[in-house]
Amino acid sequence: MTTFEYDLHGNQIEVNTTASDGTLQSRMTNSYLYDEKGNWIEKTEVELNQTWKTEPFPASFETIRRFTRKLDYFEI
């Protein structure tokens, strides 16, 4: 099962995927930095993945991505 959560701006802040037995398989969280107009200018995405397994034991890994964007506003 996969569940989603959103912030007040409508941006996705969390996605959790669980197996049929309820164990967590993956989790992705997003945090945002907003400009004065309420648009995100920086997004940090952290993904925890429990499904990557190596012998002799199960392992998990975390991927961190940072996105930035520059928005220019024009007066008409």
Side-chain angles (χ1 to χ4, degrees), residues 5-73:
E5 291 183 42
Y6 298 88
D7 67 8
L8 296 175
H9 296 274
N11 292 311
Q12 195 174 73
I13 56 171
E14 191 166 310
V15 180
N16 292 305
T17 301
T18 54
S20 58
D21 65 358
T23 58
L24 181 68
Q25 289 199 310
S26 67
R27 170 178 285 150
M28 183 178 63
T29 58
N30 296 314
S31 60
Y32 299 90
L33 177 63
Y34 294 96
D35 67 8
E36 67 280 351
K37 301 233 185 240
N39 295 306
W40 72 265
I41 53 174
E42 184 176 295
K43 172 185 167 183
T44 302
E45 177 182 284
V46 179
E47 183 176 5
L48 173 65
N49 192 324
Q50 302 279 62
T51 59
W52 182 54
K53 304 203 184 273
T54 59
E55 294 298 330
F57 56 87
S60 64
F61 62 94
E62 188 174 74
T63 305
I64 301 171
R65 296 178 195 88
R66 180 163 289 140
F67 303 89
T68 59
R69 65 183 185 175
K70 182 178 183 305
L71 302 173
D72 292 317
Y73 298 100

